[in-house]
Amino acid sequence: MPSNTLPNRTSFSAADIIHDIWTSLQLPPHALSSISLPDQQPGPATPSSFKIGHLAQSSIALSALAASLVHSHQRSQSSLSSSSSSSSSPSSSSSSSSSTTTTATIPRVTVPLRHALLEFQSERLYTINSSPPESSWGSIGGLHATLDGGHVRIHDVLPNHALGALSLLSLPPTATRHDVARQVLRWNAVDLETAAAERGSSIAVIYALRSYDEWDAHPQAAATPDDPIILRPLGPATPPNPLPPPISSSPSAIPTGCLKGLRVLEMSRVIAAPVAGRCLAAHGADVLWVTSPSLPSIPPLDKDLSRGKRTIQLDIRNNPSDKQTLLNLLRTCDVFIQSYRPGSLAAHHGLSPQDVQQQDINPHIIYANLSAFGPYGPWATRRGFDSLVQTCSGMNVSEAAHFGAGETARALPCQALDHAAGYLLATGILAALHRRTTEGGSWVVDVSLAGVGKYLRSLGQYPDRTGFEGVADAAMTQRDVPGEFLETRETAFGRMVAVRHSASVEGCEVGWGEMPKPLGSDEARWLE
């Protein structure tokens, strides 16, 4: 339940985090013995007061363990189907099924700490034809001082957000960062934050810089749940609906991904939700990434985050045929991932979880939401991004205070909230899939950047400067990445060298088949 009292998880190791979140999802506890965490350590693993190493290793391991659980259940059900077909005793078969579901061996999952930390920086550690990605940041964003002595952070990664901020500040599209700084100085911090949120069609994403005390006094802080993954049943109960069994359950069969046969429809942008889809694809899911030709793309991010996915473009706002194509895909998928502003798909397109779950669309849907602030509280419908949640929730102020150089604010060394949220959303999706397989029904999964930030904060911080001292700098270029953590693949854009997925699953194939290509390159259909 939401609370304004921060849980105390300061003694948690990465293994403790996995146990905590796994049990909160009511997943089989025996699976936890199948986790291996090489290089797990109590001290800092990257320069920060926050325990980012703990979060990286545990969130990626959770997603891989959930994939291994799904795979194990598929194998056991396939074996039971084979054995029960030759049995004349229905009661014997039923008893065997229950036992196998509870105690089936889960293939071992391994996630090395260093590799996990590098994957948390994947969008800046790849090259194509030996060239690193260009920066995604615009020229006017970042931290700006305000009239009341405070600060705001302006998001300008997406061009429409930059133009919205300029419009709110009564500036032309050609305005410079100096022009923006001058105009921001005419506003109080919270007033500008509020005006941006209430701007309407002129989209601006701006948040005030807060301390922990200021954030803890805000009603949105109290509305943020203590558990980072919210899993809820959706609509009336339906019978169990498992994935199709693997083609062969023979131990000598060629390894396939844990999630082969899982159909995932992804409508997402920026980093967090695309990480979730990329994670599911790494374990064998068929992921179809839907983008809009009428909305801006972010090529430097898209090239990293599209690995493993096929890509289509649909203009559901202006083209009825494209809307029908989307509905046809929704009727035949298992999972729908969306990360647009909360409520927008419902308000503009009739695609709320309840709408999609109706019998004429998909009564078995797993509907997964990635948002800035979660489904509860006064900011539940607001836009937001990793850097802005760090800003408004006190994390930047606390990080600067720990670093001790007199900075107003200090960002985390990587987009840790984005990446962790993506892997936790994948974990929640697979927990819902396990529940759908064993119990039936359809499910809603919610993960928010603020919820992940609250969990990270609850792990405690390294005292004073100790999180920054004696710790190797976060990898800033691909030259800093050990070769065993990289893979080289041909893409539509050229030869790509990038961080491979950091989780391995014993006896299963992990990795990406599809490689980056121009958005909209594929057909709107499932592979099988």
Side-chain angles (χ1 to χ4, degrees), residues 111-134:
V111 180
L113 172 61
R114 178 76 190 282
H115 196 169
L117 275 170
L118 291 169
E119 194 167 10
F120 259 42
Q121 305 165 67
S122 62
E123 75 278 4
R124 69 189 190 202
L125 293 179
Y126 74 87
T127 59
I128 293 182
N129 295 331
S130 301
S131 297
E134 298 178 356

Side-chain angles (χ1 to χ4, degrees), residues 16 30 62 70 73 86 104 136 142 165 179 275 297 325 375 383 407 419 476 487 497 506-507 512:
D16 293 327
H30 76 276
L62 277 162
V70 168
H73 189 81
S86 60
S136 301
D179 297 330
V275 164
S297 62
T325 297
R383 297 177 178 87
E407 300 165 292
H419 284 271
M476 297 304 295
E487 63 178 7
V497 180
E506 186 178 13
W512 298 291

Side-chain angles (χ1 to χ4, degrees), residues 132-156:
E134 298 178 356
S135 172
S136 301
W137 301 101
S139 60
I140 67 164
L143 210 63
H144 292 274
T146 55
L147 177 65
D148 55 356
H151 291 78
V152 296
R153 189 177 297 278
I154 298 176
H155 192 264
D156 67 348

Side-chain angles (χ1 to χ4, degrees), residues 287-325:
V287 180
L288 200 53
W289 188 24
V290 184
T291 56
S292 171
S294 63
L295 293 174
S297 62
I298 313 176
L301 296 181
D302 295 344
K303 289 173 184 176
D304 171 52
L305 297 166
S306 64
R307 287 186 286 166
K309 307 173 189 179
R310 292 180 299 120
T311 165
I312 63 173
Q313 291 209 305
L314 299 175
D315 187 354
I316 64 173
R317 181 182 291 274
N318 302 308
N319 189 327
S321 175
D322 282 0
K323 174 68 174 294
Q324 188 58 50
T325 297

